[in-house]
Amino acid sequence: MATLLYRLGRWSFRRRWLVSFLWLVILAIAGAGMLGGSSAATSAFTVPGTEAQRAFDLLDERFPGPAADGATASVVFRAPEGDEITSDGHRAAVGDVVAALGESSPRVAEVTDPFTTDGSVSGDGRTAYARVSYAEPSNELTDADREGLTEAMDLGRDAGFTVEGTGDALSVEPEVLGPTEIVGVSVAAVVLLVALGSLVAAGLPLLTALVGVGIAFAGVAALSGPLGLDSMTPILAVMIGLAVGIDYALFIVSRYKHERAVGRAAYDAVGVAAGTAGSAVVFAGLTVVIALGGLFVVNMPVLTKMGLAAAGAVVIAVGVGLTLLPALLGFAGDRVLGRRERRAGDSAAAGPRLAVRWARFVTRRPLAVLLAAVAGLGVVALPATSLRLGLPDDGSQSTSSTQRQAYDMLADSFGPGFNGPLLVVVDAARAAEPERVVESVADSLAGLDGVAAASSAALNPDGDTATVTVIPDTGPTEAGTEDLVDQIRSGVAGEAAAADADVLVTGLTALNIDVSQRMQGALVPYMALVIGLAFLLLILVFRSILVPLKAALGFLLSVLASLGVVVAVFQWGWAAGLLGVEQPGPIMSLMPILLIGIVFGLAMDYEVFLVSRMREAYVHGASPRDAVESGFAHGAGVVAAAAVIMISVFSGFVGSPDTMIMMVGLGLAVAVLFDAFVVRMTIVPAVLALLGERAWWLPKRLDRVLPNVDIEGEGLSTTVSSAAEPAEESQDGLSRSL
């Protein structure tokens, strides 16, 4: 592996014009695909195999009409204090708004009149709502459609009503890179400048990362329409691609600078950097791809597509780092080196003094350090024991938004369960008397504890399927609503089964419950698959059993601690105001498993980069303790810089208005913080110091079977000594390259 990458790095360095041109062509093709294709993301959310999804599919089949995934909005009217919305004057004003809603967009399929629709006026007569249904999903709506909806609502406000709107028709896709994300990238640029010591060296990782992210984003955007990608998929690809792209380039540039500083010519220095740091990049990237690609075990299309898109961004980042970066190093020449490095050798070749002192401190008292670090992470992880999962709704929006205000108005006027209705579907196609079975089910639903109201059954034209809308006594995310769903599925469904009828519970609230259960059930098989595959990969990399085992256990500590922080902030509300979280609530159902997949890959990145330097020292004859200290001294600085860069990039997404993106950003930022500085730079050297020679033990039979990937570059010594630098390559790298 090291020899192959050594040759690839040297070839890319020498053929820099060709390599750069090819990557620009790829970027142009991806950009053309994005501009010329259908880039609209889908708003459809399917969970195959769940009861809620089966019910949705049955409704599409049995109830002809507008598309079930069409956008909707509920426009809520509230009369002034002391007035009733049902008075003659107010009725006319509401009617004008309803008419304006119907004309607000050519995509409006239907608008209900609150005065002719049952249950649309509150008991006190002060509040009413009209439901607007669109023929297209929310991602197909334009700004003009939303402006028309807002202008119609303004008519009601001008008439003296309080008018607010809720629903996905009002949702706007979040920006891929907003102001806070740009701040995060700016911080990363400063860290690169400090870590690498020159503007040119700092600019190369940013440039290559932007090229990789540009290709990944354009490709994902071009495929959003044909593949039905979610609106968050390109954001996740950018988030991961930007972070790993900068980090991978940082590791290679740092190794290149080190090789130049100890006297190696630029042509060979590129090859050695690609063969050593590049090998670590390849295997680190593989662990990330395994973690993200493994999301398919959840059997949720939206999550699988997110994982594959992000994995594709990682593959592109690795390819850019191994080819385009060496080419750009050829153009940069000695300008990659700082002035001090150009005047003298690498005075810091033995490693940063702070890193050396910390490594010696840890290795001299490894047991005490290990116990303190594990106990600290355990305390931070405690909130994770109360993790509650849920899906976002307008109740999690900012209190200043119209969606949240409409949500609260409906809850106050119609009850907390109004915002989370359950749609019960009765499939009586096989029943001898369908109508009688449907009536029996409707009566049973109305008599259940926890039901605030149940509508009369609505039969389809064939008379074999019906729907009943059930309003719970409790809110959408409360435990009482989940208990009610279980009661319907076990009790009422059992009674209907005796009459050859099926009862299915669906709706967004039921889908939320099904997704949460699916996520919880998938955690163990997902972690077993991902950790198992990565464990085998790390055995191949480090030729050890205990080092991969330690890596996996350390990952569990960091991910549990990060989940603890997320729960404390978003569910408990600790320091929520500082981050702009206005409404604590359940953690998004997709978030934990997405966090686990991404964090595992990133954790293995730092494990490979840091421990590979330790193994490199050990392979070249150092004692176990000296190898830990030497490898730490050489790798800690760049790993710390890489971690700060990732923390900066991920923290930038905490400012997103989308709660899911905010949670993922915070979770990833604190996970990198814990994993890099507590697990990899504290627990890892402590464990290796305790294990000594045993850390690198591998059964002899397994040692003979495993291929030697030579990630440490041991085999490069012969290759480098026998490879002469071409005469035409000058030291500044600005001479002829083709």
Side-chain angles (χ1 to χ4, degrees):
M1 173 66 77
T3 303
L4 176 64
L5 294 179
Y6 170 83
R7 291 170 178 166
L8 177 62
R10 283 164 54 105
W11 181 86
S12 299
F13 181 92
R14 190 176 184 185
R15 308 294 182 189
R16 44 189 170 272
W17 284 105
L18 175 62
V19 171
S20 302
F21 174 74
L22 290 177
W23 278 110
L24 287 176
V25 169
I26 295 173
L27 180 61
I29 292 173
M34 178 182 68
L35 296 176
S38 174
S39 59
T42 182
S43 60
F45 186 83
T46 61
V47 190
T50 61
E51 179 173 315
Q53 187 62 52
R54 292 201 308 273
F56 276 131
D57 295 340
L58 184 64
L59 289 174
D60 288 339
E61 177 186 342
R62 304 280 178 87
F63 284 82
D69 61 349
T72 61
S74 293
V75 178
V76 187
F77 305 86
R78 176 166 288 175
E81 188 72 34
D83 289 356
E84 291 188 357
I85 201 81
T86 54
S87 65
D88 291 341
H90 291 336
R91 274 178 177 265
V94 170
D96 292 340
V97 176
V98 170
L101 289 170
E103 299 173 355
S104 63
S105 166
R107 293 180 172 84
V108 172
E110 181 184 11
V111 181
T112 63
D113 186 335
F115 304 115
T116 61
T117 305
D118 291 340
S120 296
V121 179
S122 63
D124 60 5
R126 190 183 170 204
T127 305
Y129 72 92
R131 183 177 177 84
V132 185
S133 300
Y134 291 82
E136 304 289 343
S138 61
N139 62 294
E140 297 289 345
L141 300 186
T142 64
D143 291 339
D145 297 325
R146 296 185 179 91
E147 288 173 4
L149 178 60
T150 302
E151 290 172 0
M153 292 164 58
D154 287 338
L155 291 177
R157 296 185 180 112
D158 293 340
F161 301 131
T162 300
V163 183
E164 305 294 346
T166 183
D168 61 347
L170 290 162
S171 64
V172 179
E173 293 183 9
E175 297 178 348
V176 176
L177 284 178
T180 55
E181 289 88 343
I182 294 174
V183 170
V185 175
S186 301
V187 173
V190 174
V191 174
L192 285 170
L193 180 60
V194 173
L196 297 176
S198 75
L199 285 172
V200 174
L204 290 180
L206 287 175
L207 178 59
T208 54
L210 289 175
V211 171
V213 165
I215 294 171
F217 175 76
V220 171
L223 296 173
S224 290
L227 299 183
L229 302 182
D230 182 81
S231 59
M232 188 182 168
T233 301
I235 298 176
L236 183 63
V238 168
M239 185 188 298
I240 302 302
L242 188 61
V244 301
I246 294 175
D247 272 9
Y248 292 168
L250 169 62
F251 288 119
I252 295 174
V253 172
S254 297
R255 187 60 185 254
Y256 172 78
K257 283 168 58 67
H258 170 77
E259 297 300 325
R260 290 298 311 276
V262 298
R264 204 178 296 280
Y267 188 63
D268 282 331
V270 164
V272 173
T276 54
S279 295
V281 164
V282 169
F283 282 97
L286 277 176
T287 60
V288 182
V289 170
I290 288 172
L292 293 170
L295 290 170
F296 78 90
V297 302
V298 183
N299 191 24
M300 188 177 295
V302 63
L303 200 58
T304 300
K305 293 172 184 177
M306 283 183 189
L308 292 178
V314 174
V315 171
I316 293 171
V318 172
V320 168
L322 294 177
T323 55
L324 179 60
L325 181 59
L328 295 180
L329 287 170
F331 288 119
D334 286 346
R335 287 174 296 182
V336 171
L337 306 176
R339 293 181 181 177
R340 184 179 304 174
E341 293 167 317
R342 284 184 238 176
R343 288 196 302 265
D346 183 14
S347 59
R353 282 185 243 173
L354 179 61
V356 173
R357 288 199 298 268
W358 177 250
R360 290 173 179 169
F361 171 81
V362 173
T363 55
R364 285 172 183 171
R365 46 189 67 80
L367 184 59
V369 170
L370 175 63
L371 293 176
V374 171
L377 290 178
V379 171
V380 177
L382 285 176
T385 58
S386 64
L387 174 69
R388 285 195 305 118
L389 299 180
L391 286 178
D393 58 19
D394 286 341
S396 60
Q397 297 271 2
S398 167
T399 53
S400 61
S401 67
T402 185
Q403 293 97 321
R404 174 62 186 279
Q405 293 179 33
Y407 183 97
D408 291 340
M409 288 168 62
L410 290 172
D412 292 341
S413 300
F414 296 93
F418 187 84
N419 286 304
L422 304 174
L423 186 62
V424 179
V425 182
V426 185
D427 181 5
R430 294 180 292 107
E433 299 179 86
E435 292 188 14
R436 182 176 178 181
V437 172
V438 167
E439 291 176 2
S440 175
V441 170
D443 292 339
S444 298
L445 292 171
L448 291 176
D449 293 335
V451 173
S455 70
S456 56
L459 282 165
N460 68 334
D462 293 337
D464 59 0
T465 308
T467 60
V468 179
T469 301
V470 175
I471 306 297
D473 282 332
T474 50
T477 60
E478 295 183 40
T481 303
E482 185 173 352
D483 293 339
L484 177 60
V485 171
D486 292 338
Q487 190 177 358
I488 296 173
R489 287 175 171 173
S490 59
V492 177
E495 296 173 2
D500 291 330
D502 294 327
V503 172
L504 306 173
V505 185
T506 189
L508 292 180
T509 302
L511 186 63
N512 177 5
I513 294 170
D514 288 347
V515 168
S516 300
Q517 293 175 349
R518 171 68 64 83
M519 293 296 102
Q520 292 171 352
L523 281 177
V524 173
Y526 172 68
M527 293 182 69
L529 173 68
V530 170
I531 294 178
L533 290 175
F535 183 80
L536 296 175
L537 182 64
L538 291 178
I539 290 177
L540 184 66
V541 171
F542 295 122
R543 309 193 75 79
S544 165
I545 297 294
L546 296 179
V547 170
L549 180 61
K550 169 220 21 111
L553 294 177
F555 151 73
L556 290 176
L557 286 173
S558 58
V559 77
L560 288 174
S562 63
L563 282 175
V565 172
V566 170
V567 170
V569 173
F570 289 94
Q571 187 174 309
W572 291 3
W574 291 6
L578 296 177
L579 298 177
V581 181
E582 300 185 20
Q583 182 63 33
I587 305 304
M588 307 302 175
S589 298
L590 301 182
M591 192 269 175
I593 201 164
L594 198 60
L595 179 69
I596 288 171
I598 297 172
V599 171
F600 183 79
L602 300 181
M604 296 306 103
D605 278 2
Y606 298 125
E607 180 75 14
V608 170
F609 289 127
L610 188 61
V611 180
S612 63
R613 292 304 295 262
M614 297 177 184
R615 177 164 174 78
E616 183 177 343
Y618 178 76
V619 167
H620 288 93
S623 67
R625 178 171 171 176
D626 289 342
V628 171
E629 294 180 1
S630 174
F632 191 90
H634 282 95
V638 69
V639 168
V644 173
I645 289 170
M646 279 208 178
I647 292 169
S648 302
V649 172
F650 292 143
S651 296
F653 289 88
V654 176
S656 171
D658 187 280
T659 307
M660 178 69 176
I661 297 173
M662 186 187 297
M663 282 188 185
V664 173
L666 178 64
L668 290 175
V670 297
V672 170
L673 174 66
F674 293 144
D675 195 85
F677 293 102
V678 181
V679 174
R680 308 301 154 190
M681 299 179 69
T682 303
I683 293 178
V684 165
V687 171
L688 291 179
L690 286 171
L691 292 175
E693 294 274 0
R694 291 167 294 180
W696 310 109
W697 171 80
L698 185 69
K700 292 183 179 179
R701 290 185 179 179
L702 187 58
D703 188 34
R704 287 194 296 267
V705 172
L706 290 178
N708 183 14
V709 297
D710 189 23
I711 192 173
E712 302 84 12
E714 185 181 9
L716 284 181
S717 55
T718 304
T719 304
V720 173
S721 61
S722 63
E725 182 181 8
E728 68 269 20
E729 294 292 344
S730 66
Q731 291 297 312
D732 65 2
L734 294 175
S735 62
R736 180 169 57 88
S737 61
L738 291 175

